[in-house]
């Protein structure tokens, strides 16, 4: 808990909220309800162990800040995240209601630990340590099964390393979400391609068979799409997208837009993790992804 004045407001509230939620408690020494709410807030700050920061502002002494927030009565609490007010409440709520308010916005301890493990995994992966990355992503998913970003990275890495069966097991808890999520749907598209190739490929010469069919008929979209799926399984991503573009240039709607949907899935798969940048800046886009996005737009919109 920290007492905030106009002098330290920017650092202790606005800047701090970029890293951790800040609950601002507007109070006054003469306010009876404030005296009952204050200990509850301090107890919860200790219990939440760094998951939020409590800032107390004497509204009588710091009228400029109180006016800025439009405070009309006290106690009033305002929660700031990433520099902006996101919610608040008035009055001396009982502990259970304050806890419910916090839990609506503040990540659980498990979610925070999972996020840290995920960040560490990406660091390990960027340095070429796939084994450590896999271990940390597995722990991230186990710690917070609802962390779909960590699960995406975990399943993706398993598939990249050829651990297809493990990937299917890890993906099973979210398979129902695949239809409504571009990223999870992309993983399903990849695994469906693996299953297709495993069940239909007729040996090492299968790509040559597709090439022969395509050479005989440029509009043999079944052969082109099968070849694109084979290239996906081989993780020859740009070649797979090139093949899908050949379909799209001839028939955008073929197969209920299967070529476009698969192309978009590949873009989701090969999109590298976003680089963290300063507030207000836009992360740089991967040149390969950017190029193939433009090519897709050019074909689809032509």
């Amino acid at each position: 808990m920290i007492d905030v004045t106009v002098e330290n407001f920017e650092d202790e509230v606005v800047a701090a909220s970029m890293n951790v939620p800040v609950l601002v408690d507007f109070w006054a020494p003469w306010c009876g309800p404030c005296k009952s709410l204050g200990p509850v807030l301090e107890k919860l700050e200790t219990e939440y162990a760094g998951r939020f920061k409590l800032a107390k502002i004497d509204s009588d002494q710091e009228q400029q800040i109180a006016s800025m927030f439009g405070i009309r009565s006290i106690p009033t609490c305002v929660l700031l995240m990433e520099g902006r007010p996101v919610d608040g409440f008035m009055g001396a709520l009982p502990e259970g209601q304050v806890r419910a308010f916090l839990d609506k916005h503040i990540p659980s301890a498990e979610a925070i630990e999972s996020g840290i493990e995920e960040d560490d995994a990406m660091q390990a992966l960027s340095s070429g340590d796939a084994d450590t990355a896999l271990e940390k992503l597995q722990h991230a998913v186990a710690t917070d099964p609802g962390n779909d970003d960590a699960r995406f990275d975990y399943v993706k890495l398993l598939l990249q390393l050829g651990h297809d069966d493990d990937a299917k097991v890890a993906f099973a808890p979210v398979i129902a979400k695949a239809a409504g999520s571009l990223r999870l749907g992309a993983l399903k598209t990849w695994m469906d391609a693996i299953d297709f190739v495993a069940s239909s490929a007729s040996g090492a010469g299968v790509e040559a068979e597709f090439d022969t069919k395509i050479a005989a008929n440029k509009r043999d979209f079944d052969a082109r799409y099968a070849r694109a799926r084979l290239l996906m399984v081989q993780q020859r991503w740009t070649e797979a997208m090139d093949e899908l573009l050949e379909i799209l240039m001839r028939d955008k709607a073929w197969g209920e837009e299967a070529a476009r949907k698969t192309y978009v899935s590949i873009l989701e798969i090969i999109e590298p993790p976003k680089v963290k940048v300063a507030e207000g800046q836009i992360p740089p886009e991967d040149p390969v992804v950017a190029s193939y996005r433009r090519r897709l737009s050019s074909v689809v919109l032509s």
Side-chain angles (χ1 to χ4, degrees):
M1 184 271 290
I2 185 167
D3 290 315
V4 171
T5 65
V6 70
E7 286 78 17
N8 65 358
F9 175 80
E10 187 67 30
D11 289 336
E12 298 294 348
V13 176
V14 178
S17 72
M18 301 303 296
N19 300 311
V20 63
V22 177
L23 184 65
V24 181
D25 173 27
F26 289 92
W27 70 291
W30 51 263
C31 170
C34 297
K35 294 177 182 178
S36 63
L37 178 64
V40 171
L41 298 178
E42 293 172 22
K43 173 189 174 185
L44 290 175
E45 183 188 30
T46 300
E47 183 179 320
Y48 277 59
R51 288 161 52 201
F52 81 93
K53 174 181 178 180
L54 177 61
K56 296 181 71 67
I57 296 179
D58 184 334
S59 58
D60 284 352
Q61 296 297 321
E62 304 298 333
Q63 294 183 19
Q64 180 180 345
I65 304 176
S67 176
M68 182 173 65
F69 279 87
I71 302 302
R72 295 290 179 266
S73 65
I74 54 174
T76 291
C77 290
V78 180
L79 184 68
L80 278 78
M81 300 176 70
E82 297 183 351
R84 298 183 301 275
V86 296
D87 203 353
F89 64 86
M90 292 186 295
L93 300 183
E95 180 179 327
Q97 291 185 33
V98 178
R99 188 187 302 275
F101 170 84
L102 292 170
D103 290 344
K104 185 169 64 173
H105 298 285
I106 295 175
S108 66
E110 292 78 12
I112 292 173
E113 181 182 351
S114 178
I116 293 171
E117 289 285 339
E118 184 183 4
D119 289 343
D120 290 346
M122 294 299 99
Q123 288 288 337
L125 197 57
S126 66
S127 65
D129 189 352
D131 290 339
T132 296
L134 196 64
E135 179 182 346
K136 288 188 173 295
L137 286 172
Q138 182 180 28
H139 187 261
V141 172
T143 301
D144 180 14
N147 187 344
D148 287 346
D149 288 336
R151 191 178 296 273
F152 172 87
D153 292 330
Y154 180 46
V155 174
K156 174 181 170 180
L157 185 54
L158 285 169
L159 291 171
Q160 287 175 323
L161 297 175
H163 304 322
D164 299 347
D165 291 339
D166 291 337
K168 290 178 181 178
V169 171
F171 187 69
V174 295
I175 193 169
K177 297 182 180 180
S181 166
L182 276 177
R183 301 186 89 208
L184 297 178
L187 293 176
K188 187 174 186 304
T189 297
W190 189 358
M191 287 186 280
D192 287 347
I194 291 171
D195 290 341
F196 166 77
V197 171
S199 64
S200 62
S202 55
V206 65
E207 187 174 353
E209 292 179 19
F210 295 145
D211 291 342
T212 300
K213 291 181 179 180
I214 294 167
N217 178 10
K218 300 294 186 185
R219 296 183 65 84
D220 188 340
F221 299 143
D222 288 320
R224 285 192 180 278
Y225 189 62
R227 183 175 186 274
R229 297 178 94 183
L230 174 64
L231 293 169
M232 283 185 68
V233 172
Q234 296 172 346
Q235 300 183 43
R236 294 158 61 186
W237 302 113
T238 57
E239 293 176 71
M241 287 189 288
D242 289 339
E243 193 65 71
L244 294 168
L245 281 172
E246 293 291 339
I247 298 174
L248 289 167
M249 287 188 292
R250 293 170 172 83
D251 186 346
K252 299 182 183 67
W254 175 81
E256 298 182 344
E257 298 189 283
R260 183 190 64 79
K261 293 173 182 176
T262 302
Y263 190 108
V264 171
S265 289
I266 293 174
L267 289 174
E268 290 293 326
I269 292 165
I270 67 173
E271 178 92 60
K274 294 294 184 185
V275 178
K276 292 184 178 180
V277 296
E279 183 184 4
Q281 294 186 352
I282 300 174
E285 191 170 13
D286 178 79
V288 173
V289 173
S291 173
Y292 274 86
R293 285 195 196 281
R294 288 193 297 269
R295 293 178 68 183
L296 177 62
S297 297
S298 177
V299 171
V300 170
L301 298 176
S302 62

